[in-house]
């Protein structure tokens, strides 16, 4: 009963919090919509800008389109994805390559202009994303979005703690676990409902084959929302200020190295071992296999690992909160 009353209290308070309503009902669906439309685009050749005063016999490849330019493009053109690289002809058989790609990719592009050939094993980012599958790419983007927004939606916990309401609430017949559970339930629902509706509505309206049944999609998004909820509670318990800023940075970095967008390790065993620590890596492995036709029971290890992270973050967050309560910090 206490949990229900606490949850109702948050629903009443949310009406006075326009930022929460905007995040849950507008920001999350829009960001998910952009992720879906972007991820569902068919793979296309990556374009390289070639700056040369004597551009003849341009190299040909199924991986790249070479576009001759008279003026060197700006860094903004690379950031916005207009070009994947800018190649400058030094007129002595050498080329200067400017790109945000890896050193290995830059070397491949440089050799491409020198020899006109690309290693058979080389795959561009667009090709890799196409092979991963639309559903995997979409949920990879959504994973980062929800991790970032999960922290934003724990605002009541942060607010109650900072103005000492949290301690007054616990004086009543309400336990700390009941309060955190109600906060977790509120955050989870604010993440899951708009996320699931956004994905289903957009995929149906635009006739996008996401690669999962709606039932499986619900389960996979529930896992994301549970992870985002416990991550938000953990970060709010650990940090006293700049919570969203720090959590957003951690979310972005771990999602990148966890392979949410593209393989980060490039088959490096050491990096792969480090990156496999993050739950994102296991989640992407699981959903990619499911999208390719495997059953979820074939990924029991990844599923259990995700549950360990979810429960672990919750327990550590609860422990830290309890400790700070005893020390009088809250």
């Amino acid at each position: 009963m206490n949990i229900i009353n606490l949850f109702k209290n948050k629903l009443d308070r949310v009406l006075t919090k326009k930022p929460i309503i905007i995040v849950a009902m507008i920001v999350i669906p829009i960001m998910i919509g952009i992720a879906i439309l972007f991820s569902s685009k068919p793979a296309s050749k990556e374009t390289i800008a070639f700056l040369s005063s004597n551009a003849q016999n341009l190299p040909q490849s199924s991986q790249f389109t070479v576009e001759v330019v008279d003026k060197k493009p700006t860094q903004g053109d690379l950031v916005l994805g207009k070009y994947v690289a800018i190649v400058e002809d030094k007129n002595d058989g050498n080329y200067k390559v400017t790109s945000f790609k890896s050193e290995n990719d830059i070397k491949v592009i440089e050799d491409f202009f020198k020899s006109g050939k690309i290693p058979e094993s080389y795959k561009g980012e667009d090709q890799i994303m196409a092979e991963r599958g639309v559903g995997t790419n979409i949920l990879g983007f959504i994973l980062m979005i929800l991790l970032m927004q999960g922290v934003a939606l724990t605002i009541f916990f942060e607010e109650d703690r900072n103005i000492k309401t949290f301690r007054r609430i616990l004086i009543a017949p309400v336990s700390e676990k009941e309060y955190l559970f109600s906060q977790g339930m509120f955050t989870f629902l604010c993440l899951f409902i708009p996320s699931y509706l956004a994905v289903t509505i957009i995929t149906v309206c635009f006739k996008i084959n996401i690669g999962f049944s709606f039932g499986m999609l619900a389960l996979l998004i529930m896992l994301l929302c549970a992870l985002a909820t416990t991550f938000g509670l953990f970060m709010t318990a650990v940090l006293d200020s700049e919570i969203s800023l720090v959590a957003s940075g951690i979310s972005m970095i771990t999602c990148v190295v966890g392979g949410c967008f593209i393989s980060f390790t490039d088959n490096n065993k050491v990096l792969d071992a480090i990156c496999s620590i993050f739950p994102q890596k296991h989640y992407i492995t699981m959903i990619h296999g499911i999208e390719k036709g495997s059953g979820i029971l074939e990924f029991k290890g990844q599923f259990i690992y995700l549950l360990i992270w979810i429960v672990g973050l919750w327990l550590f967050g609860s422990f830290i909160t309890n400790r700070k309560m005893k020390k009088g910090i809250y």
Side-chain angles (χ1 to χ4, degrees), residues 39-316:
S39 299
S40 61
K41 288 174 60 179
S44 59
K45 285 186 178 183
E46 297 175 315
T47 303
I48 297 173
F50 183 41
L51 181 62
S52 175
S53 58
N54 185 28
Q56 295 180 350
N57 300 321
L58 297 178
Q60 302 292 322
S61 169
S62 60
Q63 297 276 4
F64 300 115
T65 295
V66 179
E67 180 181 317
V68 180
V69 295
D70 298 323
K71 182 180 178 182
K72 184 178 179 179
T74 64
Q75 292 282 338
D77 291 322
L78 292 176
V79 173
L80 295 175
K82 183 177 181 181
Y83 302 111
V84 297
I86 301 170
V87 178
E88 299 175 67
D89 187 358
K90 295 301 182 180
N91 297 318
D92 59 358
N94 292 312
Y95 300 89
K96 179 184 177 182
V97 180
T98 304
S99 176
F100 292 129
K101 283 177 166 287
S102 67
E103 289 296 326
N104 180 61
D105 288 335
I106 291 174
K107 183 68 168 58
V108 167
I109 293 172
E110 185 179 353
D111 291 342
F112 172 54
F113 277 83
K114 288 181 178 180
S115 65
K117 298 179 181 179
I118 290 180
E120 293 183 5
S121 60
Y122 178 78
K123 294 179 181 179
E125 292 179 6
D126 286 350
Q127 185 178 352
I128 293 173
M129 290 188 71
E131 291 177 355
R132 277 163 56 107
V134 173
T136 303
N137 290 326
I138 289 172
L139 290 180
F141 278 106
I142 292 175
L143 174 50
M144 186 184 73
I145 293 170
L146 294 185
L147 283 177
M148 295 171 68
Q149 298 305 327
V151 177
L153 290 170
T154 59
I155 186 172
F156 288 137
F157 180 27
E158 180 183 2
E159 183 181 272
D160 289 342
R161 182 189 68 191
N162 291 343
I163 63 176
K164 304 301 181 181
T165 304
F166 183 49
R167 178 172 287 275
R168 290 199 296 272
I169 290 175
L170 297 186
I171 293 176
V174 175
S175 70
E176 172 196 319
K177 292 180 180 179
E178 288 175 327
Y179 177 91
L180 292 178
F181 186 82
S182 69
Q183 175 63 67
M185 185 167 60
F186 173 80
T187 302
F188 177 85
L189 291 176
C190 284
L191 289 173
F192 176 74
I193 294 174
S195 300
Y196 184 68
L197 288 177
V199 175
T200 53
I201 291 172
I202 292 172
T203 52
V204 170
C205 290
F206 289 91
K207 297 180 179 179
I208 299 171
N209 182 10
I210 197 172
F212 307 108
S213 67
F214 289 129
M216 178 58 69
L217 181 64
L219 175 60
L220 295 177
I221 293 180
M222 281 182 183
L223 273 175
L224 289 187
C225 293
L227 180 63
T229 297
T230 55
F231 175 70
L233 290 171
F234 173 77
M235 294 303 298
T236 304
V238 170
L239 301 175
D240 296 323
S241 61
E242 305 293 345
I243 301 172
S244 291
L245 179 63
V246 175
S248 295
I250 292 174
S251 300
M252 291 179 65
I253 293 171
T254 54
C255 283
V256 169
V257 300
C260 290
F261 313 113
I262 196 169
S263 178
F264 177 78
T265 60
D266 197 24
N267 296 320
N268 184 298
K269 291 184 178 180
V270 176
L271 280 177
D272 192 58
I274 295 173
C275 294
S276 65
I277 296 172
F278 301 115
Q280 291 96 324
K281 183 81 170 179
H282 296 262
Y283 182 79
I284 293 297
T285 299
M286 181 177 70
I287 63 174
H288 181 253
I290 294 172
E291 185 177 5
K292 293 303 180 182
S294 300
I296 192 170
L297 293 179
E298 296 181 44
F299 298 94
K300 293 190 289 292
Q302 285 81 6
F303 188 83
I304 292 172
Y305 190 76
L306 285 167
L307 292 181
I308 290 173
W309 266 92
I310 291 169
V311 174
L313 287 172
W314 179 273
L315 292 177
F316 276 115

